[in-house]
């Protein structure tokens, strides 16, 4: 089992940057595909990015390609999401998740509580 805690959210102006972090407990962090998800106000939670066990593979939603970068440090049980060129539509809760199974279709078993990102002038 793994517990996930997100941090790093806040208020930022359009065009600004934020770095989200996800701290994981447990000794099996490196065995999970890790992902970030976004839930805008009044909308369903959607996929943002994921990263493979070793970090060698990454996948992004089209809406964030070229702006966001996902990374992980298995030695520190940490995952990050560097968010640049932020837009008002990036506003919402960001969740990290740990998934098992195939990288291309992981089953996300564990979720954090979310961290709020607000992009506004």
């Amino acid at each position: 089992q793994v517990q996930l805690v997100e941090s790093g959210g806040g208020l930022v102006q359009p065009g600004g940057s934020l770095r989200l972090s996800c701290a994981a407990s447990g000794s099996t962090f490196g065995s999970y595909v890790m992902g970030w998800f976004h839930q805008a106000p009044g909308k369903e939670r959607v996929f943002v990015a994921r990263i493979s066990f070793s970090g060698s593979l990454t996948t992004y939603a089209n809406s964030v390609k070229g702006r966001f970068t996902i990374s992980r440090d298995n030695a520190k049980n940490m995952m990050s999401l560097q968010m640049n060129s932020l837009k008002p539509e990036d506003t919402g809760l960001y969740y990290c998740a740990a998934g098992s199974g195939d990288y291309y279709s992981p089953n996300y078993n564990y979720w954090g509580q979310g961290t709020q990102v607000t992009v506004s002038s």
Side-chain angles (χ1 to χ4, degrees), residues 30-112:
S31 66
Y32 291 98
V33 174
M34 297 298 297
W36 286 100
F37 291 78
H38 171 223
Q39 187 167 22
K43 295 188 177 181
E44 293 187 352
R45 188 163 54 189
V46 297
F47 167 79
V48 173
R50 67 174 176 266
I51 188 166
S52 62
F53 314 115
S54 66
S56 60
L57 295 174
T58 57
T59 303
Y60 297 91
N62 288 336
S63 59
V64 306
K65 278 182 182 177
R67 299 190 299 123
F68 291 8
T69 302
I70 189 172
S71 61
R72 69 188 295 166
D73 185 337
N74 288 344
K76 296 182 178 179
N77 282 12
M78 292 286 293
M79 177 180 66
S80 297
L81 185 69
Q82 178 66 42
M83 309 165 69
N84 298 330
S85 303
L86 282 161
K87 304 175 181 180
E89 51 264 42
D90 295 321
T91 293
L93 280 166
Y94 283 78
Y95 298 89
C96 69
S100 58
D102 181 72
Y103 169 77
Y104 294 100
S105 58
N107 180 25
Y108 290 103
N109 313 91
Y110 304 103
W111 295 84

